[in-house]
Structure formats: C-alpha cells, structure tokens
Amino acid sequence: MTLHFTKMHGLANDYIYIDCFREDISGIDLPELSRRLSRRRYSVGADGIILIAPSERADCKMEIYNADGSLAMMCGNGIRCVGKYVYDRKIVQKRTLTVETRSGIKTLYLDTGADGRVSEVCVDMGKFSTYKDDIPTLLPKTVNAPLSVDGMEFIVTCVSMGNPHCVIFLDGDAESFPVLTLGAKIENHPMFPERANVEFVKIKNRRELIMRVWERGSGETFACGTGACASAAAAYICGYTDSEATVHLRGGDLKIKIEDDDSVFMTGAAELVYDGTIEI
C-alpha cells in the first residue's frame, strides 16, 4: 500500500501529516505506523504523525500520535501546521477556522504572505488550569510545589493546557541543564499518573523566556507550543513576567498572550518541508 504524506514543522517541532480527506487509513495500526515513520535516520523521521480528517463539529479534525506510538491530546506547533495545510491545499478556504482536537475545539486565525499561502497562525489555545485533577498530579499543590527527583529537590509549577505540563524555573543557563537526563525521569515521575511534558525555563526579563522542553512520548524537541503556553502561564501566575511574553525555543520564537479570563493565545510560524510517499 502506498501512503502519501506531508512533512511539516512548527519551529522544528516536526510531524508527518496524513490527509485523511484523501487517504484511506482503515486497517492501519496507527501507533505502530507512528513508531515506524518517526525513527530518525531509519525512516522519514519526526516527533510523530498527525492525521488531518473531516469533523462533524469543526472545519477539520487532528489526531496526534507521538513518536512512541502514544496518543497526544494537543500539539500547539502541530495545529498551526494543520491550519496552513487545509488552507493552502484549499480544503478549508477560511482565514478563521476551527480544528477539533482531543482537548476541545480550537480556533485558528491565519495570516498569509504575498504568495497567498499561510505564513503565521494565531491559535486560541483555551484556558490554562492549575487544578490538580486537570493536570493530573498527586502533588499536594500545583504552584511552587516541591518535587524530589533522584535526591534532588526542584520547585515546580504544574499547568494543564489540555495536556499535562510540569514547569521548572532555572537559576542557571537552560542550555547547560541536563534535560536529557532529568526530562524522562520527571515525565514518568509517580506524581504524574498520566506522565507529563516537562519545561525547563530561564526568565530573561518580564517579557522574554528561554525554554527547553522534554515532551511526553517524544523526548526533547526543538519546540512545544502547549509547553510555551504553559511556561508563560506559570511565569505569569508566579509573578515573573507580564501577560504577554516571547518564548525563545531551540527551533524559534512563539508569542504568547494571556487574557484576564486565563485564555491563552499563541502565535508562530508553520512551514511545509516536503511531500512524499512510502510503502506500508
């Protein structure tokens, strides 16, 4: 069977997109497909696969499988690419469109360049939450909570953006922090029964953050949209930053705005890499 796919990325957070408006994926083991295609150097290589499909509730639907085959609730960088895909491919010709996700329906606002193609997308990511059950976490509190990892003590702030995040503010340099060692341990910490995405954040000033991220099911990635939103929300409620901040990630920058009602808006680029086919 020949499967057509499109490689796209949002700030180097790259996924393999499958257009289910056109492709028949019935009978395919999707977790196994994601594990197979995501292997870098051995296959296409990506942080996972994203299915773009018809929806009865929105303009389209996205379904996300991480590189390890697990299902994801939401991906901020991925959803921007979905918006670009359906607009540029003339599936949905609307500058404001809705996308159904496992964490609810999200509204996207598309900006186009001189060539008429989408260059930047603003996403209404919904409201952040620090309620324990929303994350979920077994920690006694979610803001400035102590967390022990291999005999080390960290102060963490836990935020839900429709998926679980554990934000750690660093005193030192984010680039030299042992993310690869501690990311997996915190992701799978007993205090997070559904695992967690982990953000390691350095406060640059009241309007800028520097962030590295360990994503649940994918490991360290160059960018995480929900992680940037969670980090900006955590910094704001902890009093470190203003309600608007730029988050600097390894793959580029995201602009985050937090409204008075706790709604979060994320703006960033979405880019096409290439189209391809693979035999499965």
Side-chain angles (χ1 to χ4, degrees):
M1 174 182 175
T2 300
L3 183 69
H4 295 80
F5 69 89
T6 300
K7 184 77 176 288
M8 303 183 77
H9 79 89
L11 307 189
N13 190 192
D14 58 338
Y15 284 88
I16 299 160
Y17 292 79
I18 300 172
D19 182 352
C20 298
F21 285 87
R22 299 182 173 93
E23 297 291 310
D24 181 7
I25 60 168
S26 58
I28 297 176
D29 184 337
L30 294 172
E32 175 56 31
L33 181 68
S34 186
R35 287 189 291 268
R36 174 187 165 189
L37 297 188
S38 298
R39 296 177 68 205
R40 301 188 187 279
R41 299 185 180 88
Y42 294 95
S43 187
V44 179
D47 293 324
I49 65 173
I50 291 180
L51 311 178
I52 305 174
S55 169
E56 295 181 356
R57 305 170 54 215
D59 292 313
C60 64
K61 177 182 179 180
M62 67 183 290
E63 192 81 80
I64 312 157
Y65 289 86
N66 294 316
D68 68 355
S70 61
L71 272 169
M73 298 293 289
M74 174 59 185
C75 175
N77 292 315
I79 200 171
R80 295 199 314 276
C81 291
V82 169
K84 176 178 175 61
Y85 185 97
V86 298
Y87 186 89
D88 288 355
R89 302 291 169 102
K90 296 181 170 50
I91 296 172
V92 181
Q93 283 287 281
K94 296 161 62 176
R95 295 279 293 275
T96 299
L97 59 88
T98 54
V99 179
E100 180 184 349
T101 76
R102 285 181 172 261
S103 62
I105 294 176
K106 309 299 181 185
T107 302
L108 281 60
Y109 305 92
L110 312 180
D111 283 336
T112 55
D115 60 358
R117 296 180 178 274
V118 172
S119 58
E120 190 173 71
V121 181
C122 176
V123 184
D124 180 350
M125 297 289 286
K127 296 182 180 182
F128 74 85
S129 173
T130 56
Y131 288 109
K132 291 172 55 177
D133 291 346
D134 289 343
I135 292 162
T137 181
L138 302 179
L139 289 168
K141 62 179 183 176
T142 58
V143 179
N144 292 327
L147 180 71
S148 297
V149 183
D150 281 356
M152 296 177 285
E153 292 290 329
F154 295 96
I155 300 299
V156 306
T157 294
C158 302
V159 177
S160 172
M161 285 301 310
N163 56 358
H165 294 270
C166 174
V167 181
I168 300 174
F169 294 108
L170 306 175
D171 292 328
D173 179 29
E175 285 303 311
S176 62
F177 194 82
V179 170
L180 299 181
T181 302
L182 292 173
K185 293 180 179 179
I186 298 173
E187 173 195 354
N188 296 285
H189 198 283
M191 289 294 102
F192 301 107
E194 296 182 10
R195 299 186 294 163
N197 300 282
V198 191
E199 286 77 35
F200 302 90
V201 180
K202 175 68 175 180
I203 305 295
K204 186 175 181 180
N205 55 54
R206 291 200 63 83
R207 296 182 69 89
E208 292 180 278
L209 309 175
I210 300 170
M211 185 188 102
R212 289 177 66 187
V213 59
W214 179 273
E215 289 200 57
R216 178 179 61 168
S218 293
E220 185 176 18
T221 61
F222 273 47
C224 175
T226 58
C229 293
S231 296
Y236 179 61
I237 62 178
C238 288
Y240 299 137
T241 57
D242 299 332
S243 60
E244 295 187 47
T246 297
V247 181
H248 303 293
L249 306 108
R250 284 188 157 182
D253 295 345
L254 288 173
K255 294 172 282 188
I256 311 297
K257 181 179 181 181
I258 301 169
E259 302 284 0
D260 291 340
D261 66 351
D262 295 339
S263 295
V264 183
F265 289 81
M266 171 197 66
T267 303
E271 298 189 33
L272 170 71
V273 182
Y274 60 85
D275 293 302
T277 60
I278 192 166
E279 296 298 320
I280 61 171

